[in-house]
């Protein structure tokens, strides 16, 4: 999980006493607001649960903080939660999952009640469901898969995503996987109201397609997804191939359609927007900054030149030793060859760099300047996770993080015991949803403006790639 706390807010409780709330973002999207004492309570319960694991240092208590001290605390809390999120033991802890789920519910003042939501298939077909407002992602995934009669054994190949069709048509990042630390209902309604919740495959490696093609329902789901991805231009096909595919579609030859689509360029890839880079050809020290389109697929990241679409550079994920995200405030104008369009503000906000093995014992840094650095990093981590599961002989997995018992400290100081089987109905003070028109909608755009850092500039603070160690000489 990529945590950040880009800003804070001032609140007043029912007695008129002011307190500070810290806005927590996960993977680039607003998730919840928490007080210092709530995060301290989380820290103490993690310590008690994992006495033999070393937690990062928690910022010390101070009273009557000045504005500068509040900013210092924000930075320290951000570093703390980032380090927790980078540790697999803590990141997958039921305590953390339960805390995040409860904090999201409290932040948006949502009580437990029945709500109507729609899950869309990739062809636009909508599945109407009545669920609880605080059902987890895996719970709603199970309900949706049952609705379409998908075998329970195949549910693990699919996940729910927030999907923005407008961004998808422009080749921008358009997917946000719904995890078990959040309520799909809350995440869509209050964070991404313009998005739809869609059901789509959740794996990267096309080899898993074979498992889906032996079942009628899962084959249909894969088929519908491929039709949409071809229409969006995510998969590249020449005119002759498009005509053959159209013929297969007309004749309902779904298996033949899938098998041909699997041979096409950029099959199973996800677009990640545009970036500036000087590394379209590795090793060209005098290369100027150029604009590229970024996409990610099974085991690789691809850069395609915007000016020369046939010019591509592919990077194997297994050759990336580590990667990091930092903030950029300006670009060296001399590197743009006079092309001021390369200085567009949105694209230069972030920098994602990865250390790449170009030959045995030779590592170089490859840098992308892009506002979508967080999205790319999340995808890289997802690819690495799948590679490690494969290395361990495991198959794909949908979100199944188990909640744990937690003494959830609410903002008002009262404690609510949350157990895996209990509801969190008392976390909010409103009946149903808070419906005030002044409610702030948080988005990744806000984070882009205020983001501090996800990983830090020094090498030791990079996101380490566990799959890197699996490289054999035959891959070089």
């Amino acid at each position: 999980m990529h945590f950040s706390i880009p800003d804070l807010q001032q609140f007043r409780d029912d007695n008129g006493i002011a307190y500070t709330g810290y806005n927590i973002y996960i993977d680039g999207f607003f998730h919840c607001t928490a007080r210092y004492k709530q995060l301290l309570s989380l820290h103490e319960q993690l310590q008690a649960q994992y006495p033999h694991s070393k937690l990062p240092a928690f910022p010390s208590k101070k009273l009557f903080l000045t504005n500068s001290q509040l900013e210092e605390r924000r930075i320290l809390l951000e570093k703390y939660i980032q380090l927790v999120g980078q540790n697999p033991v803590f990141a997958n802890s039921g305590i953390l999952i339960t805390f995040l789920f409860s904090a999201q519910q409290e932040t948006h003042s949502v009580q437990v009640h029945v709500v109507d939501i729609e899950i869309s298939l990739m062809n636009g077909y909508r599945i109407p469901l009545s669920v609880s407002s605080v059902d987890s992602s895996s719970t709603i995934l199970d309900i949706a898969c049952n609705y379409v009669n998908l075998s329970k054994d195949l549910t693990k190949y699919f996940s729910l995503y927030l999907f923005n069709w407008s961004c998808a048509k422009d080749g921008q990042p358009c997917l946000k996987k719904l995890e078990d630390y959040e309520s799909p209902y809350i995440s869509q309604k209050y964070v991404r109201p313009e998005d739809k919740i869609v059901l789509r495959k959740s794996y990267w490696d096309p080899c898993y397609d074979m498992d889906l093609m032996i079942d009628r329902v899962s084959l249909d789901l894969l088929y519908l997804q491929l039709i949409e991805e071809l229409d969006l231009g995510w998969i590249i096909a020449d005119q002759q191939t498009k005509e053959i595919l159209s013929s297969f579609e007309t004749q309902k030859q779904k298996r033949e359609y899938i098998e041909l689509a699997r041979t096409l360029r950029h099959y199973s890839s996800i677009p990640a927007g545009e970036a500036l880079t000087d590394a379209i050809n590795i090793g060209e020290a005098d290369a100027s900054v150029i604009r590229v389109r970024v996409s990610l697929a099974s085991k690789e990241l691809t850069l395609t030149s915007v000016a020369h679409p046939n010019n591509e550079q592919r990077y194997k994920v297994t050759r990336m030793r580590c990667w990091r995200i930092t903030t950029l405030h300006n670009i060296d104008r001399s590197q743009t060859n006079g092309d001021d369009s390369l200085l567009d503000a949105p694209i230069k906000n972030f920098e994602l760099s990865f250390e790449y093995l170009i030959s045995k014992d030779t590592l170089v840094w490859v840098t992308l300047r892009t506002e979508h650095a967080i999205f790319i990093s999340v995808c890289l981590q997802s690819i690495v996770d799948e590679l490690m599961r494969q290395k361990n002989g495991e198959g794909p997995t949908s979100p199944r993080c188990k909640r744990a018992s937690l003494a959830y400290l609410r903002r008002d100081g009262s404690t609510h015991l949350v157990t895996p089987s209990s509801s969190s109905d008392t976390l909010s003070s409103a009946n149903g949803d808070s419906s005030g028109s002044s409610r702030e909608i948080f988005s990744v755009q806000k984070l882009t403006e205020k983001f501090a850092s996800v990983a830090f500039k020094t090498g030791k603070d990079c996101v380490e790639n566990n799959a890197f160690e699996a490289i054999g000489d035959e891959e070089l």
Side-chain angles (χ1 to χ4, degrees):
M1 286 186 278
H2 290 250
F3 284 100
S4 66
I5 304 178
D7 57 8
L8 49 83
Q9 295 184 77
Q10 297 299 323
F11 297 90
R12 289 192 179 276
D13 62 19
D14 293 340
N15 297 318
I17 300 174
Y19 66 87
T20 302
Y22 296 89
N23 294 326
I24 299 175
Y25 287 66
I26 304 177
D27 294 343
F29 298 94
F30 175 75
H31 182 76
C32 66
T33 301
R35 297 182 68 171
Y36 170 87
K37 64 182 181 182
Q38 290 180 292
L39 293 171
L40 175 59
S41 174
L42 169 65
H43 173 75
E44 291 171 345
Q45 292 184 70
L46 285 173
Q47 270 188 327
Q49 181 69 28
Y50 303 100
H52 303 297
S53 298
K54 186 177 181 181
L55 275 161
F58 194 83
S60 58
K61 288 183 180 180
K62 291 181 181 178
L63 298 177
F64 309 112
L65 276 65
T66 63
N67 288 338
S68 62
Q69 289 172 324
L70 284 173
E71 176 62 14
E72 179 184 3
R73 173 176 282 183
R74 180 196 67 78
I75 294 171
L76 292 175
L77 286 173
E78 179 177 67
K79 289 182 178 179
Y80 168 81
I81 199 69
Q82 285 171 351
L83 292 172
V84 168
Q86 290 173 11
N87 186 312
V89 174
F90 304 136
N92 295 315
S93 163
I95 290 176
L96 179 62
I97 299 302
T98 305
F99 173 85
L100 293 173
F101 197 94
S102 301
Q104 184 192 46
Q105 182 188 347
E106 183 184 22
T107 295
H108 296 290
S109 301
V110 175
Q111 284 192 330
V112 178
H113 63 294
V114 175
V115 295
D116 295 325
I117 65 171
E118 288 183 342
I119 309 298
S120 297
L121 303 184
M122 292 307 294
N123 66 340
Y125 177 79
R126 292 176 290 186
I127 302 171
L129 299 178
S130 291
V131 300
S132 168
S133 57
V134 293
D135 272 342
S136 67
S137 298
S138 60
T139 298
I140 295 181
L141 173 65
D142 288 342
I143 296 172
C145 289
N146 183 65
Y147 186 96
V148 297
N149 296 317
L150 179 67
S151 168
K152 290 184 178 180
D153 293 337
L154 298 174
T155 300
K156 63 184 179 181
Y157 293 90
F158 295 87
S159 287
L160 298 178
Y161 293 81
L162 291 174
F163 183 78
N164 187 300
W165 255 280
S166 177
C167 291
K169 293 175 183 177
D170 295 335
Q172 302 298 312
C174 57
L175 290 166
K176 194 276 181 198
K177 187 176 182 179
L178 289 164
E179 304 286 357
D180 251 9
Y181 56 73
E182 61 189 318
S183 154
Y185 167 74
I186 296 175
S187 293
Q188 182 194 33
K189 181 170 183 177
Y190 296 119
V191 183
R192 305 267 292 188
E194 71 283 3
D195 290 4
K196 295 183 181 296
I197 302 176
V198 299
L199 174 67
R200 54 177 284 126
K201 68 176 186 178
S202 59
Y203 55 85
W204 292 93
D205 195 334
C207 73
Y208 294 123
D209 291 346
M210 299 298 101
D211 296 339
L212 301 187
M213 292 174 68
I214 61 175
D215 176 85
R216 179 185 61 81
V217 176
S218 57
L219 183 141
D220 283 347
L221 292 173
L222 178 60
Y223 170 71
L224 294 175
Q225 181 172 325
L226 293 183
I227 291 176
E228 180 65 21
E229 291 180 358
L230 276 155
D231 287 344
L232 290 170
W234 293 9
I235 303 173
I236 308 299
D238 58 32
Q239 187 58 40
Q240 182 180 3
T241 303
K242 287 181 180 179
E243 290 173 0
I244 297 173
L245 288 168
S246 178
S247 175
F248 286 154
E249 185 178 353
T250 300
Q251 299 175 48
K252 304 297 182 183
Q253 294 178 279
K254 301 173 184 179
R255 187 178 302 277
E256 290 79 3
Y257 188 103
I258 295 171
E259 289 174 347
L260 178 55
R262 282 167 48 83
T263 68
L264 298 178
R265 180 181 169 202
H266 291 179
Y267 177 78
S268 198
S269 69
I270 300 294
E274 294 187 356
L276 302 181
T277 184
D278 57 5
I280 189 67
N281 292 310
I282 297 179
E284 289 190 8
D286 58 346
S288 59
V289 174
I290 63 172
R291 188 184 294 268
V292 295
R293 292 188 180 93
V294 185
S295 61
L296 297 108
S298 174
K299 304 177 185 177
E300 66 183 21
L301 178 150
T302 301
L303 304 182
T304 304
S305 171
V306 173
H308 306 284
N310 290 327
N311 187 5
E312 282 188 353
Q313 182 67 42
R314 298 189 177 192
Y315 300 89
K316 289 186 176 181
V317 172
T318 50
R319 292 193 186 185
M320 298 178 185
R321 191 187 70 82
C322 62
W323 66 87
R324 67 190 179 201
I325 300 174
T326 52
T327 306
L328 274 185
H329 298 290
N330 54 64
I331 278 182
D332 185 352
R333 186 177 293 271
S334 66
Q335 294 181 337
T336 66
N337 289 340
D339 185 358
D340 287 343
S341 68
L342 298 180
L343 297 171
D344 293 345
I347 210 168
K348 68 177 182 177
N349 285 325
F350 301 113
E351 183 178 85
L352 182 138
S353 303
F354 55 89
E355 196 173 19
Y356 194 74
L357 187 69
I358 60 172
S359 62
K360 194 168 185 179
D361 301 323
T362 304
L363 289 157
V364 297
W365 280 98
V366 178
T367 298
L368 303 175
R369 300 184 184 113
T370 170
E371 64 175 322
H372 306 304
I374 300 173
F375 178 82
I376 296 171
S377 180
V378 170
C379 289
L380 288 174
Q381 187 61 59
S382 176
I383 293 171
V384 169
D385 290 344
E386 182 172 284
L387 287 170
M388 296 308 297
R389 287 196 299 270
Q390 291 176 335
K391 183 182 178 183
N392 295 330
E394 303 170 6
T397 178
S398 54
R400 297 288 167 185
C401 297
K402 293 184 178 179
R403 298 189 211 176
S405 295
L406 173 78
Y408 181 73
L409 182 66
R410 300 192 303 179
R411 287 196 214 173
D412 63 9
S414 61
T415 299
H416 176 68
L417 179 61
V418 182
T419 64
S421 59
S422 71
S423 74
S424 303
D425 192 32
T426 57
L427 290 181
S428 61
S429 57
N431 291 322
D433 294 356
S434 177
S435 58
S437 60
S438 62
R439 173 179 295 279
E440 182 171 8
I441 298 296
F442 291 88
S443 67
V444 71
Q445 284 77 21
K446 184 177 181 184
L447 180 59
T448 299
E449 297 167 2
K450 300 185 178 181
F451 184 78
S453 64
V454 170
F456 310 108
K457 193 68 177 177
T458 57
K460 65 182 177 65
D461 291 312
C462 293
V463 179
E464 295 292 334
N465 179 3
N466 293 325
F468 181 79
E469 297 177 357
I471 296 177
D473 289 344
E474 68 277 3
E475 295 192 54
L476 298 176

